């Protein structure tokens, strides 16, 4: 459709976006406020949330490139447009598997800066000394206060999560590099560091005790990402184009976008924030796809799955937490919650009194992607085998053929590689939950409460409700008796479908046989 916005897919360079007429969500009012309020900042946001674009915007602003800000809020807010020497260090774009990888990155940038200011290259490993010399030279030669911008500072640390010794070594080297920021604070105009995670200030920025953490500041909650207000006020033609292509009304398209990509909250009073990468890809393509995960399974999530036992059912329901439980330094965490939150897999769903929050998956894209990444750990590593089974299982549930669904499940579980450490009732229940939850048309609940207790799992389709009870080396009769005795079906009596007719109710007793490592048997009875 002609006249639609040209979105900067995959672009993180502010100058390139502005020069070539790509659409830019104007964040320069917040940039002006930030740069005129304090001088030392740290911000963490999930990957692909626009951190690098924000850093690039700051770079262009401090370089005094007024022409790039024409028509933006900054044009009227800024009156002086002073030019500053800008030192931009990005740790993205490299993999850090040994000390040399970090050394190469630091040496390359320092050599570049030394050449720019006519400094004889220093000793390769003397990172702090060399950085201090270029900062001083820039100040003396230009008469302006230098600016330091650091993008994805934590990339080396995230790459070495599973190698504590190497991670410690890299921390020590990075501490050397950042050490001048405190000593030269008197001549620095602005320092901004960003990354995905919050590492302890003492671990890298050992002396930078004046660093303002803006990660959970209400004023800057929307500095990265696209808010609901920005979407609805600035992208109406693109929403309508998506609606037309998908056969939806405008309002239905808005709801679909929100369900898929909205739901992020970064502070107590944060506006609704959409994942910008997924949203602009969706509006550009006219599709509702899981873009955030389409570029590959994030390394952080893979390593967390390997390190911790993930309680996917907890995350899927929203759960209470204090700020200390999720806004905590990554390297001191004893569970996956801080990294899951800071990486964008969990977000603030609700703020309660007394410094309490409710955390959960922000949207369906993250929920599906997270569970899909987790499935190979519980099932088979062969993605095509998992996906083929999921499609067949979903079709059987869609047709109301529970016997076929459970038969498929039995065959699939038989193909799962044996791991003695995992074969317990909770493992099987989690696997069954992941499978049912990944069949996205259906409502899946676990540990569903009734007056007398909680059922193991409930699968609700358009026409039926199935209440499951699992037993490991038990009997299906015991499972069915528990469903009856505890009244697990009672909450669903009279539940109606879209056609106004009562849904069919079924109780399903399932036995897991530890010796064969699959379903030993099941019984299905009408409720």
């Amino acid at each position: 459709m002609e006249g639609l916005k040209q979105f900067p897919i995959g672009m993180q360079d502010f100058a390139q976006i502005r020069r070539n007429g790509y659409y830019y969500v104007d964040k320069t009012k917040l940039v002006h406020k930030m740069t005129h309020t304090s001088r030392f900042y740290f911000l963490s946001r999930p990957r692909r949330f626009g951190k690098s674009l924000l850093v690039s915007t700051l770079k262009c602003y401090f370089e005094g490139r007024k022409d790039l800000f024409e028509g933006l809020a900054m044009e009227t807010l800024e009156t002086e447009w002073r030019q500053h020497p800008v030192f931009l260090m990005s740790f993205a774009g490299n993999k850090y598997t040994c000390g040399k990888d970090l050394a190469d990155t630091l040496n390359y940038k320092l050599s570049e800066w030394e050449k720019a200011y006519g400094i004889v290259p220093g000793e390769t490993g003397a990172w702090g000394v060399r950085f201090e010399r270029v900062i001083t030279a820039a100040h003396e030669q230009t008469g302006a206060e230098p600016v330091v911008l650091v993008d994805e500072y934590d990339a080396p640390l995230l790459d070495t999560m599973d190698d504590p010794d190497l991670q410690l070594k890299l921390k020590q080297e990075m501490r050397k590099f950042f050490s001048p920021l405190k000593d030269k604070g008197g001549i620095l105009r602005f320092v901004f560091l960003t990354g995905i995670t919050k590492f302890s200030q003492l671990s890298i920025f050992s002396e930078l005790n004046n660093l303002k953490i803006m990660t959970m500041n209400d004023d800057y909650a929307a500095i990265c990402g696209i808010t609901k207000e920005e979407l609805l006020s600035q992208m109406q033609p693109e929403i309508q184009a998506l609606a037309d292509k998908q056969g939806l009304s405008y309002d239905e398209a808005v709801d679909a976008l929100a369900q898929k990509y909205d739901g992020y909250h970064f502070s107590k009073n944060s506006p609704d924030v959409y994942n910008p990468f997924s949203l602009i890809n969706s509006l550009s393509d006219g599709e509702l796809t899981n873009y955030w995960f389409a570029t590959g399974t994030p390394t952080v999530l893979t390593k967390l799955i390997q390190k911790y036992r993930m309680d996917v059912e907890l995350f899927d329901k929203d759960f209470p937490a204090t700020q200390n439980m999720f806004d905590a330094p990554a390297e001191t965490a004893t569970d996956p919650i801080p990294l899951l939150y800071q990486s964008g897999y969990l977000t603030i769903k609700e703020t309660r009194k007394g410094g309490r929050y409710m955390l959960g998956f922000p949207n369906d894209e993250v929920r599906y992607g997270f569970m899909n990444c987790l499935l190979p750990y519980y099932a088979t590593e062969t993605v095509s085998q998992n996906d083929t089974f999921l499609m067949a299982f979903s079709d059987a549930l869609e047709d109301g053929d529970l016997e076929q669904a459970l038969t498929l499940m039995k065959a699939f579980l038989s193909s799962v590689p044996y791991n003695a450490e995992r074969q317990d009732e909770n493992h099987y229940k989690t696997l069954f939950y992941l499978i049912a939850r990944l069949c996205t048309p259906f409502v899946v609940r676990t540990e569903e409460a009734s007056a007398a207790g909680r059922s193991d799992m409930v699968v609700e389709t358009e026409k039926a409700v199935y209440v499951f009870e699992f037993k490991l080396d038990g009997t299906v009769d015991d499972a069915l008796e528990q469903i009856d005795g505890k009244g697990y079906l009672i909450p669903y009596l009279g539940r109606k479908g879209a056609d106004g007719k009562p849904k069919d109710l079924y109780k399903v007793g399932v036995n897991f046989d530890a010796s064969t490592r699959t379903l030993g048997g099941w019984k299905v009875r009408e409720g």
Side-chain angles (χ1 to χ4, degrees):
M1 183 183 296
E2 294 184 5
L4 296 182
K5 294 178 179 65
Q6 188 177 11
F7 290 111
I9 306 296
M11 296 183 187
Q12 302 170 336
D13 188 295
F14 178 75
Q16 182 184 17
I17 290 171
R18 296 294 291 164
R19 281 198 308 263
N20 294 289
Y22 288 98
Y23 181 69
Y24 172 74
V25 180
D26 189 359
K27 303 292 184 179
T28 60
K29 182 178 180 180
L30 290 175
V31 169
H32 185 271
K33 178 178 181 177
M34 177 174 64
T35 55
H36 289 74
T37 302
S38 188
R39 293 192 302 137
F40 290 79
Y41 285 98
F42 170 76
L43 173 72
S44 69
R45 283 292 185 269
R47 67 187 182 98
R48 298 192 178 279
F49 249 80
K51 299 186 300 297
S52 296
L53 177 56
L54 175 60
V55 169
S56 179
T57 306
L58 286 164
K59 179 177 183 292
C60 292
Y61 167 65
F62 280 115
E63 288 175 342
R65 302 176 69 177
K66 181 179 179 180
D67 59 303
L68 297 176
F69 293 84
E70 183 178 349
L72 301 178
M74 184 69 80
E75 183 182 26
T76 58
L77 291 170
E78 184 56 69
T79 58
E80 296 182 342
W81 292 101
R82 294 178 179 174
Q83 296 181 8
H84 298 265
V86 177
F87 297 98
L88 170 57
M89 166 62 81
S90 174
F91 289 95
N94 195 5
K95 287 296 180 183
Y96 300 90
T97 59
C98 63
K100 183 177 183 300
D101 295 327
L102 177 62
D104 287 345
T105 298
L106 295 175
N107 190 52
Y108 173 79
K109 288 303 295 185
L110 285 166
S111 296
E112 184 180 82
W113 295 336
E114 287 165 340
K115 182 178 180 180
Y117 291 98
I119 299 173
V120 177
E123 183 183 346
T124 301
W127 316 122
V129 174
R130 294 173 66 187
F131 194 19
E132 183 172 355
R133 288 176 66 193
V134 295
I135 290 174
T136 302
H139 181 243
E140 291 176 349
Q141 292 178 28
T142 67
E145 298 170 306
V147 170
V148 176
L149 306 174
V150 182
D151 192 20
E152 304 289 2
Y153 88 96
D154 53 350
L157 309 182
L158 293 175
D159 282 350
T160 54
M161 282 175 54
D162 54 355
D163 189 342
D165 292 337
L166 177 57
Q167 187 182 76
L168 178 59
K169 179 180 178 180
L170 298 190
K171 283 181 185 178
Q172 292 170 341
E173 294 303 302
M174 293 174 73
R175 186 182 299 139
K176 295 176 184 178
F177 174 74
F178 288 119
S179 60
L181 297 183
K182 177 64 180 294
D183 294 338
K184 290 297 178 180
I187 66 170
L188 292 175
R189 166 63 180 85
F190 191 77
V191 176
F192 182 73
L193 306 103
T194 185
I196 293 174
T197 57
K198 178 181 180 180
F199 277 77
S200 169
Q201 233 172 307
L202 294 177
S203 68
I204 299 178
F205 317 117
S206 56
E207 297 179 353
L208 206 56
N209 52 15
N210 57 341
L211 199 61
K212 184 176 179 62
I213 311 298
M214 58 190 295
T215 301
M216 291 190 66
N217 189 315
D218 283 337
D219 292 343
Y220 301 107
I223 199 165
C224 290
I226 298 173
T227 67
K228 181 178 181 180
E229 180 183 359
E230 289 166 340
L231 169 68
L232 297 181
S233 64
Q234 302 175 33
M235 306 179 196
Q236 292 179 348
E238 290 72 28
I239 297 173
Q240 187 61 60
L242 171 71
D244 293 342
K245 185 173 181 179
Q246 297 296 324
L248 304 171
S249 69
Y250 179 87
D251 289 340
E252 287 172 338
V254 169
D255 290 341
L257 288 169
Q259 189 76 13
K260 198 77 172 176
Y261 310 123
D262 191 12
Y264 285 96
H265 303 95
F266 296 110
S267 65
K268 289 182 179 180
N269 300 298
S270 172
D272 286 348
V273 179
Y274 286 72
N275 181 319
F277 178 79
S278 294
L279 182 62
I280 65 173
N281 271 280
S282 175
L283 293 177
S284 180
D285 295 344
E287 301 290 345
L288 294 163
T289 301
N290 297 319
Y291 292 99
W292 203 49
F293 283 87
T295 53
T297 304
T299 303
V300 171
L301 182 55
T302 302
K303 292 183 177 181
L304 284 176
I305 290 172
Q306 294 170 346
K307 184 176 182 180
Y308 296 104
R309 187 186 187 100
M310 295 290 205
D311 189 350
V312 64
E313 299 171 33
L314 168 67
F315 304 148
D316 201 20
K317 291 178 182 176
D318 299 351
F319 61 95
T322 63
Q323 185 171 332
N324 289 335
M325 289 173 61
F326 61 90
D327 186 37
E331 75 267 37
T332 60
T334 56
D335 62 57
I337 292 176
L339 264 174
L340 286 175
Y341 171 80
Q342 293 163 30
S343 301
Y345 301 104
L346 298 174
T347 194
I348 297 171
K349 304 292 286 187
E350 181 184 346
T351 301
R352 296 184 172 181
K353 294 181 179 179
R356 297 183 63 193
Y357 300 83
M358 295 296 291
L359 302 184
F361 292 129
N363 51 51
D364 283 351
E365 179 186 30
V366 175
R367 176 181 290 105
Y368 179 85
F370 182 91
M371 293 184 179
N372 205 38
C373 289
L374 196 59
L375 182 60
Y377 177 79
Y378 284 90
T380 172
E381 294 181 359
T382 306
V383 174
S384 60
Q385 183 177 347
N386 291 338
D387 289 349
T388 298
F389 162 71
L390 287 172
M391 288 187 288
F393 184 77
S394 179
D395 289 343
L397 286 179
E398 187 80 52
D399 295 337
D401 191 347
L402 190 60
E403 190 71 24
Q404 172 66 4
L406 291 169
T407 300
L408 289 166
M409 172 72 76
K410 181 175 182 178
F412 180 70
L413 291 178
S414 297
S415 69
V416 173
Y418 177 66
N419 185 322
E421 295 180 358
R422 302 183 194 167
Q423 307 305 315
D424 57 20
E425 186 174 2
N426 184 67
H427 173 84
Y428 286 116
K429 283 168 60 177
T430 301
L431 175 55
F432 203 5
Y433 178 81
L434 286 170
I435 290 168
R437 199 68 176 89
L438 285 168
C439 297
T440 52
F442 312 114
V443 177
V444 180
R445 309 178 183 89
T446 60
E447 299 289 332
E448 189 72 5
S450 69
R454 294 177 179 272
S455 59
D456 282 337
M457 188 168 75
V458 176
V459 176
E460 185 174 355
T461 69
E462 291 183 0
K463 298 179 180 180
V465 177
Y466 303 95
V467 175
F468 291 82
E469 187 64 30
F470 304 102
K471 295 297 179 184
L472 180 63
D473 289 335
T475 69
V476 293
D477 290 326
D478 287 344
L480 290 171
E481 183 178 335
Q482 183 168 333
I483 294 174
D484 287 335
K486 299 292 187 179
Y488 292 157
L489 268 177
I490 292 176
Y492 305 97
L493 295 175
R495 183 71 65 91
K496 295 181 179 180
D499 58 4
K501 296 180 180 179
K503 293 187 176 184
D504 296 327
L505 304 181
Y506 297 94
K507 45 195 174 186
V508 187
V510 181
N511 172 52
F512 291 115
D513 188 330
S515 63
T516 60
R517 303 188 300 278
T518 188
L519 302 190
W522 60 82
K523 283 185 180 180
V524 182
R525 291 180 183 169
E526 293 189 14

